[in-house]
Amino acid sequence: QVQLVESGGGLVQAGGSLRLSCTASGRTFSNYYVGWFRQATGKEREFVSAISRGGLNTYYEDSVKGRFTISRDNAKNTVYLQMNSLKPEDTAIYYCAARAGTDYNTLTRSMSYPYWGQGTQVTVSS
C-alpha cells in the first residue's frame, strides 16, 4: 500500500508558474511509476505526465510538453510537477497516482494506477 499526498496548488495568473509535489509513504517509493492527472469541472480525468521508477524516462501529454516538467527525488519519496507558462485551460484538480506496473502502453490510463492522492486545486486566471 502506498499513500500519496499532493501539495503546491493555488491561484496563479496566466503565464505564471507553480510546482506541485506528491509525497508518498508506505512501501518503497522507488518501486513505483508515478503519474499526474488532472480533472477540470465537468470534464473527464486526463493524463498529464508520468515518470519511471528511477526518473530516467518521462512522458507528457501533448498540450503540456515544453511547459511542464516532471521529476522525482526517491530519497525524499517525492515527485514534482513544475508547471510554467500556465494557461487558463490548465485549471483543474491535479492528482498524483502510483503503480508498480511498467507497461508503457497503459501509462496514460488512469485505471492502471491503483494508488491516488486526494488532489490539489490549480486555478489559472486570465
Side-chain angles (χ1 to χ4, degrees):
Q1 190 79 2
V2 176
Q3 292 80 41
L4 304 171
V5 177
E6 302 96 335
S7 61
L11 173 65
V12 64
Q13 288 189 333
S17 298
L18 284 173
R19 188 178 79 159
L20 305 183
S21 298
C22 172
T23 302
S25 60
R27 294 188 175 182
T28 306
F29 186 55
S30 58
N31 289 342
Y32 295 86
Y33 273 67
V34 175
W36 284 96
F37 291 78
R38 64 187 179 186
Q39 187 166 18
T41 302
K43 295 187 177 181
E44 293 185 354
R45 190 169 298 188
E46 65 174 2
F47 171 79
V48 175
S49 182
I51 189 166
S52 60
R53 290 174 292 189
L56 186 62
N57 298 310
T58 57
Y59 311 87
Y60 298 93
E61 192 268 332
D62 285 346
S63 71
V64 308
K65 284 180 181 177
R67 300 189 298 123
F68 291 10
T69 303
I70 191 170
S71 62
R72 69 190 298 163
D73 184 342
N74 286 336
K76 295 182 178 179
N77 286 352
T78 301
V79 169
Y80 304 98
L81 186 68
Q82 178 67 44
M83 306 186 296
N84 298 329
S85 301
L86 282 162
K87 305 175 181 180
E89 51 264 44
D90 294 318
T91 295
I93 300 175
Y94 283 70
Y95 300 89
C96 69
R99 53 177 257 177
T102 60
D103 184 0
Y104 167 81
N105 293 318
T106 61
L107 272 179
T108 63
R109 300 178 188 172
S110 60
M111 293 294 290
S112 72
Y113 292 77
Y115 306 109
W116 289 82
Q118 82 291 347
T120 185
Q121 177 71 47
V122 171
T123 303
V124 184
S125 64
S126 57

